[in-house]
Amino acid sequence: MQYNAELIAVGTELLLGNIANTDAQMLSEELSTLGINVYYHTVVGDNPQRLREALEIARKRANIIITTGGLGPTYDDLTKQTICETFGLPLEFHEDIWEDICAYFMKRMKREDIPEGNKQQAMLPVGCTVLDNPVGTAPGCAFEKDGVHVLMLPGPPYECRYLFEHRARAYLEKLTHDRIFSHELRIFGMGESHVEEKLHDIMVRSTNPTLAPYAKTGEVMLRATAKAHTKEEAEAMLAPLIAEVKETLGDVVYGEDVESLEEVVLPLLKERGLTLSFAESCTGGLLAKRLTDLPGASAVFRGGVVSYTNAVKANILGVPEDLLDRYGAVSENVAIAMAEGCRNICGSDLALSVTGVAGPDRDDRGHEVGTVYMALAAADGTICRLVDIKKGRSRGHIRHLAGHHAFDLIRRKLLGLPL
């Protein structure tokens, strides 16, 4: 049987934008791994009538309804009551749940005077599966009525995740037999529309497994997804699709199931026993931060210089002042001198420099915003690349994309790919 789910988040604070609905994101990701389709997300304020209307719509188009929020002890926490009225189920008091709530208050809050309002949290639908909550005072529950499975989870993200992972998942796994398995391919150097054009025929003919592109900041992510009974079956289905994608797109595919270019560069440096340093101008230390955010970076990263002024470029990195005077800081000559100077003072095998115009205005030499030079110095020589990050971008976006280009240049050097 195919199961389709609708998520209903209850809380006026969500509608007002006071908090983000992170529960829905988490639940959608988790449900997809169970082979359950999520077709609708609904957000309703703390209003019984509107919640009742949302439930009536949901039960007509989904056979699994998962609600989050509205299970607290206050007057506006009416999710259980409204759901039970809608599905014609009475509520009953669970003495064991009330004892758990009292124990939670005494252990976690050091209180014996439990508010009377918390008793309503021990009221649950007759015949339901109780999803006890050891990390909060709001238990969840699940029941089936007229072919629709309803699961109620608390709204606080930590409690919601805990109850799903430790309670609700087991309930749902009994319903489903297929599982969803996926791999993500990361692409840099080709835009989403170009990727989609090259892969159009593959995506059209692929039904299981499927292939879908997603635009990320400065790059593209492809998700290959298969539905199967076991992981082994899914992997056998996904392997030829992933191989075909890699063959079609070539070396712009920089990694599989990774989050960033630096996550690829770090192990490559380790495997080759190489060290790296940075000389940064317009990126202001961003490259060093991105690399050192990764565990194990100390094995390869020697250090860096943020040479935001010409004086630091000359006095620390040793960039000849005549180069700065003749060509300006944003130039191939200066980028090369920065990289070579950084490699020398840090004693690293590789050194990468970045110098450019992040905006909002042109520099004193008339270079357009988004003009970025980067050089990579190594034992076998120094190479330089001019990157034209189109104007109209923010400073942050230009710096972010410059970082992408920098790590991609290192990746290509280490793998012997065209530079």
Side-chain angles (χ1 to χ4, degrees):
M1 180 177 179
Q2 180 62 57
Y3 284 95
N4 303 319
E6 178 159 349
L7 308 183
I8 301 179
V10 182
T12 302
E13 67 275 13
L14 295 169
L15 292 174
L16 295 175
N18 298 139
I19 62 172
N21 189 8
T22 56
D23 289 343
Q25 179 185 15
M26 180 275 293
L27 289 171
S28 288
E29 290 176 346
E30 295 290 345
L31 290 170
S32 70
T33 67
L34 296 173
I36 297 172
N37 301 315
V38 179
Y39 288 154
Y40 299 97
H41 284 194
T42 301
V43 180
V44 184
D46 298 304
N47 181 286
Q49 179 58 35
R50 286 193 284 273
L51 175 56
R52 192 174 298 109
E53 292 170 358
L55 289 165
E56 291 291 1
I57 294 171
R59 70 192 298 186
K60 294 175 184 176
R61 61 190 185 187
N63 45 19
I64 295 177
I65 298 173
I66 301 180
T67 67
T68 57
L71 302 182
T74 59
Y75 73 94
D76 57 350
D77 289 310
L78 299 172
T79 296
K80 275 184 301 189
Q81 295 88 326
T82 305
I83 289 175
C84 286
E85 289 172 9
T86 303
F87 283 87
L89 289 175
L91 286 163
E92 64 180 358
F93 182 74
H94 285 243
E95 186 65 40
D96 57 332
I97 294 297
W98 175 238
E99 290 175 0
D100 289 343
I101 293 171
C102 293
Y104 182 89
F105 267 92
M106 288 186 282
K107 181 178 179 181
R108 299 292 182 91
M109 304 180 188
K110 310 301 181 186
R111 289 182 59 181
E112 296 186 8
D113 58 326
I114 295 100
E116 189 67 21
N118 283 91
K119 272 199 169 182
Q120 73 169 333
Q121 294 182 294
M123 299 290 293
L124 299 169
V126 170
C128 73
T129 298
V130 179
L131 308 178
D132 63 290
N133 181 3
V135 296
T137 63
C141 61
F143 66 83
E144 185 271 331
K145 182 74 183 293
D146 300 328
V148 178
H149 292 268
V150 178
L151 289 83
M152 295 177 243
L153 300 175
Y158 177 75
E159 293 183 43
C160 184
R161 178 177 288 277
Y162 183 94
L163 256 68
F164 183 86
E165 292 178 349
H166 295 86
R167 305 291 186 265
R169 174 181 282 277
Y171 179 93
L172 294 169
E173 283 177 342
K174 294 177 182 178
L175 305 180
T176 62
H177 300 288
D178 286 334
R179 297 289 183 270
I180 297 292
F181 302 91
S182 63
H183 288 291
E184 294 178 356
L185 300 176
R186 293 280 179 160
I187 297 156
F188 179 72
M190 186 181 291
E192 184 185 17
S193 59
H194 195 187
V195 168
E196 194 162 355
E197 181 182 358
K198 280 184 167 288
L199 298 178
H200 177 76
D201 292 342
I202 299 174
M203 289 191 288
V204 167
R205 72 168 185 264
S206 300
T207 54
N208 187 26
T210 60
L211 189 65
Y214 300 87
K216 300 291 183 179
T217 304
E219 59 181 297
V220 178
M221 188 264 282
L222 285 170
R223 180 175 288 127
T225 304
K227 181 181 288 188
H229 293 311
T230 66
K231 186 176 189 298
E232 291 71 24
E233 290 177 17
E235 294 293 355
M237 297 162 64
L238 288 167
L241 175 62
I242 290 172
E244 187 176 7
V245 169
K246 290 180 177 178
E247 182 180 358
T248 302
L249 297 183
D251 60 26
V252 296
V253 180
Y254 72 77
E256 182 176 335
D257 296 327
V258 296
E259 294 293 328
S260 64
L261 279 153
E262 56 267 31
E263 194 176 324
V264 173
V265 166
L266 178 57
L268 288 175
L269 289 166
K270 286 183 177 181
E271 290 166 11
R272 289 156 177 75
L274 298 174
T275 55
L276 175 66
S277 60
F278 295 121
E280 303 186 56
S281 185
C282 64
T283 49
L286 179 62
L287 301 185
K289 179 191 181 304
R290 285 175 57 166
L291 186 61
T292 56
D293 278 346
L294 301 176
S298 59
V300 302
F301 185 55
R302 283 292 181 87
V305 177
V306 179
S307 54
Y308 219 62
T309 65
N310 284 357
V312 175
K313 290 179 177 70
N315 297 331
I316 304 298
L317 292 173
V319 178
E321 292 191 12
D322 65 312
L323 288 184
L324 290 164
D325 292 339
R326 188 183 313 171
Y327 300 106
V330 182
S331 64
E332 177 179 352
N333 303 74
V334 169
I336 290 172
M338 287 171 62
E340 293 176 346
C342 185
R343 182 169 180 265
N344 181 54
I345 64 174
C346 290
S348 58
D349 298 299
L350 302 172
L352 184 134
S353 68
V354 182
T355 179
V357 185
D361 303 311
R362 297 180 182 184
D363 70 358
D364 56 1
R365 301 273 175 150
H367 291 110
E368 294 283 356
V369 172
T371 302
V372 179
Y373 286 91
M374 53 189 62
L376 182 61
D380 59 352
T382 304
I383 56 173
C384 187
R385 170 187 280 177
L386 169 63
V387 178
D388 181 16
I389 302 171
K390 301 299 183 186
K391 63 181 179 180
R393 309 282 192 176
S394 68
R395 283 175 60 83
H397 194 91
I398 290 169
R399 286 153 54 97
H400 186 74
L401 283 183
H404 280 17
H405 282 281
F407 283 108
D408 189 54
L409 182 58
I410 300 168
R411 174 184 77 96
R412 289 178 173 276
K413 172 71 175 177
L414 294 172
L415 293 174
L417 298 173
L419 298 171

